[in-house]
Amino acid sequence: MKPRTSPDSPLLFEEVPLVPDFKLELKARKAGHWPVAGADEAGRGPLAGPVVAAAVILDPRRIPDGLNDSKQLSAQRREQLFVQILATATVSIASSSSTQIDLTDIRKASLDAMRRAICGLAIPASYVLTDGLDVPPGLVCPGQAVVKGDARSVSIAAASIVAKVTRDRMMARADAVFPDYGFAAHVGYGTAQHRAGIERHGPCSLHRMSFRPLKKDGTEGATMDELLED
């Protein structure tokens, strides 16, 4: 049997990490749209807490160094960039509560929070780049959904950082009100610690009762595998 050999150009067979840049924003500007906002959300997958969305219009002359998908950054680096983004960009934040998520569903609640964040910008956006597969309905400007947008657009990356840091801070405060679940440690995700807290104390008002394993009426609810993690 002929031995297997490594490819001559291994990088061509591996996924090259994406690095966000300003190309999509400049493309929109060339088409006559300015300013351009990036929008993203955090908190689709957790069992508890809100989903938080942010919209960010970056100043092209003052883009903070190191913007990237919030999942690729340490908590300390996210906090540093959060401060820089708020100091140099136009930012708007909105959220949908666990009650709203249960009344509709996580996708609709996420898109509604994103729509409100975009509409809340102090400087109206002429065009919006959103992370994922959907542009929120009800916008007064056109937009483009960008798969892996937080790794392709610095505006979306900035929005992902703002949304993530804001939500993490909210869940840290929730931990002081509901200390039995460890919200500060897992920010609402379905960890063993979190599930043990639910078993011992039952759910609190922050829990999403439409998510399994909290959904008890025999119908199927959202699962962690079915949701896009942040």
Side-chain angles (χ1 to χ4, degrees), residues 172-188:
R173 293 183 180 182
D175 188 69
V177 180
F178 301 100
D180 297 323
Y181 305 96
F183 287 142
H186 53 68
V187 297

Side-chain angles (χ1 to χ4, degrees), residues 81-180:
L81 286 168
F82 178 85
V83 173
Q84 294 178 35
I85 294 165
L86 265 59
T88 60
T90 301
V91 177
S92 177
I93 304 168
S95 65
S96 290
S97 68
S98 54
T99 300
Q100 183 65 22
I101 292 168
D102 288 341
L103 287 173
T104 55
D105 58 51
I106 185 60
R107 177 178 173 274
K108 291 178 182 177
S110 297
L111 290 175
D112 184 63
M114 194 179 293
R115 177 190 62 80
R116 287 183 281 114
I118 295 165
C119 292
L121 286 163
I123 301 174
S126 177
Y127 196 80
V128 179
L129 301 169
T130 64
D131 183 50
L133 300 174
D134 301 296
V135 174
L139 298 181
V140 296
C141 66
Q144 174 186 353
V146 184
V147 175
K148 295 185 178 180
D150 47 10
R152 297 177 59 192
S153 158
V154 285
S155 298
I156 298 177
S160 78
I161 292 167
V162 172
K164 172 64 174 169
V165 171
T166 300
R167 187 179 187 281
D168 285 356
R169 291 182 177 185
M170 293 171 73
M171 295 308 293
R173 293 183 180 182
D175 188 69
V177 180
F178 301 100
D180 297 323

Side-chain angles (χ1 to χ4, degrees), residues 30-43:
K30 188 175 181 180
H33 299 294
W34 197 257
V36 177
D40 200 0
E41 45 71 28

